[in-house]
Amino acid sequence: TQLLEQSPQFLSIQEGENLTVYCNSSSVFSSLQWYRQEPGEGPVLLVTVVTGGEVKKLKRLTFQFGDARKDSSLHITAAQPGDTGLYLCAGAPGGGNKLTFGTGTQLKVEL
Amino acid sequence: SAVISQKPSRDICQRGTSLTIQCQVDSQVTMMFWYRQQPGQSLTLIATANQGSEATYESGFVIDKFPISRPNLTFSTLTVSNMSPEDSSIYLCSVVQGSTGNTIYFGEGSWLTVV
């Protein structure tokens, strides 16, 4: 059983469209992180959400942590080809630094 | 931020052989981890590399298959032993830096293909 389920698994959209990626769990996390991974590279941290209900914005990316700290979402406004990549949520069950990663969402943004 | 260098970045290996991956960090870090990412999948934690002692392995991973060393605070190795095609993956080194342990960095990964 995967601890962190992401949806959708794959997403192919046109430039300028909006999209939302979801990360869900039955477990409570003290924090959740979102990463983006491009081909041939390691994951790069985008944001960490800590407080239930927290909303963080990073340019066109909006991250939200659920009130119960069991889920999170990533919303991208006006997607661009440079947003293409694998988006991963991750958390450390019970706290600490040993991350459990979500199932991943492969995003492709086309011109 | 920590700069992580992994070697090799990519290799093609023969079935039954072993390969050692190196992870070098440009500064001392509190924790080092090894992850595996199989083609098209997410990351799975293999083990925590402990300085000067045996690594702590996650369920499904054993020392005989994935021996790990960490002789100091900036360097670790992961060996993939007796490889089979199922071991074809990206192997990633990850480090935690800072006294609060909240900042996690990843290397670019080592892409192994077993033929």
Side-chain angles (χ1 to χ4, degrees):
Chain A
T1 301
Q2 185 68 27
L3 197 59
L4 286 167
E5 294 282 349
Q6 285 183 236
S7 62
Q9 187 177 2
F10 299 99
L11 192 55
S12 181
I13 61 173
Q14 298 295 310
E15 183 180 21
E17 293 185 18
N18 303 330
L19 68 115
T20 302
V21 177
Y22 299 94
C23 173
N24 294 299
S25 175
S26 58
S27 302
V28 175
F29 287 85
S30 57
S31 65
L32 279 178
Q33 302 178 350
W34 284 92
Y35 292 82
R36 181 172 68 209
Q37 184 180 23
E38 298 186 30
E41 299 183 10
V44 175
L45 179 66
L46 296 173
V47 77
T48 300
V49 286
V50 179
T51 306
E54 180 178 8
V55 176
K56 281 191 173 179
K57 292 193 175 183
L58 184 67
K59 298 183 180 179
R60 294 178 292 102
L61 278 61
T62 302
F63 304 85
Q64 186 165 8
F65 200 13
D67 291 340
R69 305 207 313 276
K70 292 183 177 181
D71 57 87
S72 182
S73 65
L74 157 61
H75 183 78
I76 301 179
T77 303
Q80 300 176 0
D83 296 327
T84 293
L86 177 66
Y87 288 81
L88 296 156
C89 64
N97 294 299
K98 291 167 54 175
L99 293 177
T100 294
F101 279 83
T103 47
T105 296
Q106 185 66 56
L107 171 65
K108 184 177 182 180
V109 182
E110 298 179 298
L111 291 169
Chain B
S1 63
V3 177
I4 304 169
S5 174
Q6 279 190 237
K7 292 180 181 179
S9 58
R10 186 181 291 265
D11 207 343
I12 298 175
C13 308
Q14 295 295 317
R15 186 193 302 249
T17 63
S18 299
L19 182 77
T20 296
I21 302 167
Q22 298 180 357
C23 176
Q24 178 73 55
V25 193
D26 68 342
S27 57
Q28 293 186 352
V29 294
T30 52
M31 301 183 76
M32 296 181 79
F33 302 96
W34 287 98
Y35 287 83
R36 180 174 72 183
Q37 186 175 26
Q38 294 178 303
Q41 297 189 24
S42 186
L43 282 73
T44 301
L45 180 62
I46 298 172
T48 304
N50 300 310
Q51 187 205 355
S53 64
E54 190 172 292
T56 305
Y57 290 85
E58 298 300 308
S59 176
F61 298 96
V62 295
I63 188 172
D64 289 346
K65 177 65 176 178
F66 298 102
I68 289 170
S69 77
R70 188 182 173 193
N72 56 52
L73 292 175
T74 64
F75 185 78
S76 177
T77 67
L78 166 73
T79 299
V80 186
S81 303
N82 188 26
M83 287 185 283
S84 67
E86 292 71 33
D87 294 320
S88 297
S89 290
I90 303 172
Y91 293 86
L92 294 136
C93 173
S94 169
V95 305
V96 176
Q97 187 180 52
S99 57
T100 59
N102 290 329
T103 305
I104 301 173
Y105 300 95
F106 283 85
E108 293 187 345
S110 298
W111 194 315
L112 303 187
T113 302
V114 184
V115 297

Short mmCIF file of all heavy atoms in Angstrom, two decimals, chain A residues 33 35 37 40-43 45 86 88 97-104, chain B residues 31 33 35 37 41-43 45 48 58 92 96 101-102 104 106-108:
data_model
loop_
_atom_site.label_atom_id
_atom_site.label_comp_id
_atom_site.label_asym_id
_atom_site.label_seq_id
_atom_site.Cartn_x
_atom_site.Cartn_y
_atom_site.Cartn_z
N GLN A 33 6.41 17.94 1.47
CA GLN A 33 7.25 18.67 0.53
C GLN A 33 6.83 18.35 -0.89
O GLN A 33 6.32 17.26 -1.16
CB GLN A 33 8.72 18.29 0.73
CG GLN A 33 9.21 18.56 2.15
CD GLN A 33 10.64 18.14 2.36
OE1 GLN A 33 11.24 17.48 1.53
NE2 GLN A 33 11.21 18.56 3.48
N TYR A 35 8.44 18.30 -4.85
CA TYR A 35 9.65 18.32 -5.64
C TYR A 35 9.27 18.27 -7.12
O TYR A 35 8.23 17.75 -7.50
CB TYR A 35 10.52 17.10 -5.34
CG TYR A 35 11.14 17.07 -3.97
CD1 TYR A 35 10.44 16.62 -2.87
CD2 TYR A 35 12.47 17.46 -3.79
CE1 TYR A 35 11.01 16.58 -1.61
CE2 TYR A 35 13.05 17.42 -2.53
CZ TYR A 35 12.32 16.98 -1.46
OH TYR A 35 12.91 16.94 -0.22
N GLN A 37 11.22 16.97 -10.71
CA GLN A 37 12.37 16.24 -11.23
C GLN A 37 12.32 16.28 -12.75
O GLN A 37 11.32 15.92 -13.36
CB GLN A 37 12.37 14.79 -10.75
CG GLN A 37 13.59 14.00 -11.17
CD GLN A 37 13.54 12.58 -10.66
OE1 GLN A 37 12.50 12.04 -10.37
NE2 GLN A 37 14.71 11.95 -10.57
N GLY A 40 17.14 13.06 -16.16
CA GLY A 40 18.58 13.09 -15.96
C GLY A 40 19.03 13.85 -14.74
O GLY A 40 20.24 14.03 -14.54
N GLU A 41 18.09 14.29 -13.93
CA GLU A 41 18.46 15.06 -12.74
C GLU A 41 17.77 14.51 -11.51
O GLU A 41 16.79 13.76 -11.60
CB GLU A 41 18.09 16.53 -12.93
CG GLU A 41 18.79 17.19 -14.10
CD GLU A 41 18.46 18.65 -14.23
OE1 GLU A 41 17.84 19.21 -13.31
OE2 GLU A 41 18.84 19.25 -15.26
N GLY A 42 18.27 14.91 -10.35
CA GLY A 42 17.62 14.53 -9.11
C GLY A 42 16.46 15.47 -8.81
O GLY A 42 16.33 16.53 -9.41
N PRO A 43 15.59 15.10 -7.87
CA PRO A 43 14.47 15.96 -7.49
C PRO A 43 14.97 17.28 -6.88
O PRO A 43 15.96 17.28 -6.14
CB PRO A 43 13.72 15.14 -6.45
CG PRO A 43 14.19 13.75 -6.63
CD PRO A 43 15.59 13.84 -7.11
N LEU A 45 13.70 20.53 -4.57
CA LEU A 45 12.64 20.95 -3.66
C LEU A 45 11.98 22.25 -4.14
O LEU A 45 12.66 23.23 -4.46
CB LEU A 45 13.22 21.17 -2.26
CG LEU A 45 12.23 21.65 -1.19
CD1 LEU A 45 11.18 20.57 -0.90
CD2 LEU A 45 12.97 22.02 0.10
N LEU A 86 8.47 15.67 -13.67
CA LEU A 86 7.82 14.76 -12.72
C LEU A 86 7.66 15.50 -11.40
O LEU A 86 8.64 15.97 -10.83
CB LEU A 86 8.67 13.51 -12.53
CG LEU A 86 8.16 12.48 -11.51
CD1 LEU A 86 6.85 11.86 -12.00
CD2 LEU A 86 9.22 11.39 -11.28
N LEU A 88 6.60 15.40 -7.49
CA LEU A 88 6.55 14.42 -6.41
C LEU A 88 6.23 15.12 -5.10
O LEU A 88 6.84 16.13 -4.76
CB LEU A 88 7.90 13.72 -6.28
CG LEU A 88 8.36 12.87 -7.46
CD1 LEU A 88 9.86 12.73 -7.45
CD2 LEU A 88 7.70 11.51 -7.41
N ASN A 97 13.74 12.87 8.80
CA ASN A 97 14.23 13.22 7.47
C ASN A 97 14.18 12.06 6.48
O ASN A 97 14.62 12.19 5.34
CB ASN A 97 15.65 13.74 7.56
CG ASN A 97 15.72 15.05 8.33
OD1 ASN A 97 15.12 16.04 7.93
ND2 ASN A 97 16.41 15.05 9.45
N LYS A 98 13.66 10.92 6.87
CA LYS A 98 13.54 9.77 5.96
C LYS A 98 12.24 9.94 5.18
O LYS A 98 11.16 9.70 5.70
CB LYS A 98 13.54 8.46 6.74
CG LYS A 98 14.88 8.15 7.37
CD LYS A 98 14.79 7.03 8.40
CE LYS A 98 14.16 5.78 7.89
NZ LYS A 98 14.21 4.68 8.88
N LEU A 99 12.38 10.36 3.93
CA LEU A 99 11.20 10.73 3.15
C LEU A 99 10.53 9.53 2.49
O LEU A 99 11.20 8.64 1.96
CB LEU A 99 11.59 11.72 2.05
CG LEU A 99 12.06 13.09 2.51
CD1 LEU A 99 12.48 13.93 1.31
CD2 LEU A 99 10.95 13.81 3.29
N THR A 100 9.20 9.56 2.52
CA THR A 100 8.38 8.67 1.71
C THR A 100 7.83 9.50 0.57
O THR A 100 7.23 10.55 0.81
CB THR A 100 7.22 8.08 2.53
OG1 THR A 100 7.75 7.23 3.53
CG2 THR A 100 6.28 7.29 1.63
N PHE A 101 8.05 9.06 -0.64
CA PHE A 101 7.62 9.81 -1.79
C PHE A 101 6.27 9.34 -2.31
O PHE A 101 5.91 8.17 -2.20
CB PHE A 101 8.66 9.69 -2.92
CG PHE A 101 9.82 10.62 -2.74
CD1 PHE A 101 10.88 10.26 -1.92
CD2 PHE A 101 9.85 11.85 -3.37
CE1 PHE A 101 11.95 11.12 -1.74
CE2 PHE A 101 10.92 12.71 -3.19
CZ PHE A 101 11.96 12.36 -2.38
N GLY A 102 5.53 10.28 -2.88
CA GLY A 102 4.28 9.96 -3.54
C GLY A 102 4.52 9.21 -4.83
O GLY A 102 5.66 9.05 -5.28
N THR A 103 3.44 8.77 -5.44
CA THR A 103 3.52 7.97 -6.64
C THR A 103 3.94 8.77 -7.86
O THR A 103 4.31 8.20 -8.87
CB THR A 103 2.16 7.31 -6.92
OG1 THR A 103 1.12 8.30 -6.79
CG2 THR A 103 1.90 6.20 -5.91
N GLY A 104 3.89 10.09 -7.78
CA GLY A 104 4.39 10.95 -8.85
C GLY A 104 3.34 11.33 -9.87
O GLY A 104 2.41 10.57 -10.15
N MET B 31 23.06 14.00 7.75
CA MET B 31 22.53 12.70 7.37
C MET B 31 22.69 12.47 5.87
O MET B 31 22.63 13.42 5.08
CB MET B 31 21.03 12.59 7.74
CG MET B 31 20.74 12.79 9.22
SD MET B 31 19.01 12.56 9.63
CE MET B 31 18.91 10.78 9.59
N PHE B 33 21.39 9.64 2.73
CA PHE B 33 20.47 8.57 2.39
C PHE B 33 20.72 8.11 0.96
O PHE B 33 21.22 8.86 0.13
CB PHE B 33 19.01 9.05 2.46
CG PHE B 33 18.59 9.60 3.80
CD1 PHE B 33 18.63 10.96 4.03
CD2 PHE B 33 18.15 8.76 4.81
CE1 PHE B 33 18.24 11.49 5.26
CE2 PHE B 33 17.76 9.28 6.04
CZ PHE B 33 17.82 10.64 6.25
N TYR B 35 18.51 6.41 -2.28
CA TYR B 35 17.20 6.10 -2.82
C TYR B 35 17.36 5.37 -4.15
O TYR B 35 18.36 5.54 -4.85
CB TYR B 35 16.39 7.39 -3.08
CG TYR B 35 15.87 8.07 -1.85
CD1 TYR B 35 16.66 8.94 -1.12
CD2 TYR B 35 14.56 7.85 -1.42
CE1 TYR B 35 16.18 9.58 0.01
CE2 TYR B 35 14.06 8.50 -0.29
CZ TYR B 35 14.87 9.36 0.41
OH TYR B 35 14.38 10.00 1.53
N GLN B 37 15.16 4.74 -7.84
CA GLN B 37 14.04 5.16 -8.66
C GLN B 37 14.01 4.28 -9.89
O GLN B 37 14.82 4.47 -10.82
CB GLN B 37 14.15 6.63 -9.04
CG GLN B 37 12.94 7.17 -9.78
CD GLN B 37 13.04 8.66 -10.05
OE1 GLN B 37 14.13 9.22 -10.13
NE2 GLN B 37 11.90 9.33 -10.18
N GLN B 41 8.98 5.34 -12.23
CA GLN B 41 8.37 5.25 -10.91
C GLN B 41 8.92 6.33 -9.97
O GLN B 41 9.78 7.12 -10.32
CB GLN B 41 8.60 3.87 -10.32
CG GLN B 41 7.96 2.75 -11.14
CD GLN B 41 8.02 1.42 -10.41
OE1 GLN B 41 8.13 1.36 -9.20
NE2 GLN B 41 7.93 0.35 -11.17
N SER B 42 8.37 6.34 -8.78
CA SER B 42 8.79 7.30 -7.78
C SER B 42 10.03 6.80 -7.05
O SER B 42 10.61 5.78 -7.41
CB SER B 42 7.64 7.52 -6.80
OG SER B 42 7.94 8.55 -5.90
N LEU B 43 10.45 7.52 -6.03
CA LEU B 43 11.65 7.16 -5.29
C LEU B 43 11.32 6.28 -4.10
O LEU B 43 10.31 6.49 -3.42
CB LEU B 43 12.35 8.43 -4.77
CG LEU B 43 13.18 9.24 -5.76
CD1 LEU B 43 12.30 10.00 -6.73
CD2 LEU B 43 14.10 10.18 -5.03
N LEU B 45 13.22 4.70 -0.58
CA LEU B 45 14.39 4.77 0.28
C LEU B 45 15.02 3.40 0.46
O LEU B 45 14.32 2.45 0.83
CB LEU B 45 14.00 5.35 1.64
CG LEU B 45 15.11 5.50 2.68
CD1 LEU B 45 16.19 6.47 2.19
CD2 LEU B 45 14.54 5.96 4.01
N THR B 48 19.68 4.46 5.25
CA THR B 48 20.36 5.61 5.82
C THR B 48 21.82 5.23 6.01
O THR B 48 22.12 4.20 6.63
CB THR B 48 19.76 5.99 7.18
OG1 THR B 48 18.37 6.22 7.03
CG2 THR B 48 20.43 7.22 7.75
N GLU B 58 15.96 -0.14 4.91
CA GLU B 58 14.51 -0.16 4.91
C GLU B 58 14.03 -1.57 4.55
O GLU B 58 14.80 -2.40 4.02
CB GLU B 58 13.97 0.86 3.91
CG GLU B 58 14.36 2.29 4.27
CD GLU B 58 13.86 2.72 5.62
OE1 GLU B 58 12.64 2.58 5.88
OE2 GLU B 58 14.67 3.22 6.43
N LEU B 92 19.97 7.42 -6.23
CA LEU B 92 20.14 8.82 -5.83
C LEU B 92 20.66 8.93 -4.41
O LEU B 92 20.15 8.27 -3.49
CB LEU B 92 18.80 9.55 -5.92
CG LEU B 92 18.24 9.71 -7.33
CD1 LEU B 92 16.76 9.41 -7.35
CD2 LEU B 92 18.48 11.12 -7.84
N VAL B 96 21.01 15.67 4.23
CA VAL B 96 20.35 16.65 5.07
C VAL B 96 21.42 17.56 5.63
O VAL B 96 22.41 17.09 6.18
CB VAL B 96 19.58 15.98 6.21
CG1 VAL B 96 18.98 17.02 7.15
CG2 VAL B 96 18.49 15.08 5.66
N GLY B 101 18.20 20.18 10.44
CA GLY B 101 17.93 19.02 9.61
C GLY B 101 16.73 19.17 8.72
O GLY B 101 16.09 18.19 8.35
N ASN B 102 16.39 20.39 8.32
CA ASN B 102 15.19 20.58 7.54
C ASN B 102 15.42 20.73 6.05
O ASN B 102 14.48 20.71 5.28
CB ASN B 102 14.44 21.83 8.02
CG ASN B 102 13.83 21.61 9.39
OD1 ASN B 102 13.46 20.51 9.72
ND2 ASN B 102 13.75 22.65 10.18
N ILE B 104 16.82 19.30 2.62
CA ILE B 104 17.20 18.03 2.00
C ILE B 104 17.59 18.29 0.55
O ILE B 104 16.85 18.95 -0.18
CB ILE B 104 16.03 17.02 2.07
CG1 ILE B 104 15.65 16.78 3.52
CG2 ILE B 104 16.42 15.71 1.40
CD1 ILE B 104 14.40 15.93 3.69
N PHE B 106 19.29 16.52 -3.18
CA PHE B 106 19.52 15.29 -3.92
C PHE B 106 20.64 15.47 -4.93
O PHE B 106 20.80 16.54 -5.52
CB PHE B 106 18.25 14.88 -4.67
CG PHE B 106 17.20 14.26 -3.80
CD1 PHE B 106 16.31 15.05 -3.11
CD2 PHE B 106 17.13 12.89 -3.66
CE1 PHE B 106 15.35 14.49 -2.29
CE2 PHE B 106 16.17 12.30 -2.85
CZ PHE B 106 15.28 13.10 -2.17
N GLY B 107 21.41 14.40 -5.12
CA GLY B 107 22.34 14.36 -6.22
C GLY B 107 21.60 14.17 -7.52
O GLY B 107 20.38 13.96 -7.54
N GLU B 108 22.33 14.21 -8.62
CA GLU B 108 21.70 14.08 -9.94
C GLU B 108 21.40 12.62 -10.28
O GLU B 108 20.73 12.35 -11.27
CB GLU B 108 22.58 14.71 -11.01
CG GLU B 108 22.69 16.22 -10.85
CD GLU B 108 23.42 16.86 -12.00
OE1 GLU B 108 24.09 16.13 -12.77
OE2 GLU B 108 23.33 18.10 -12.13
#
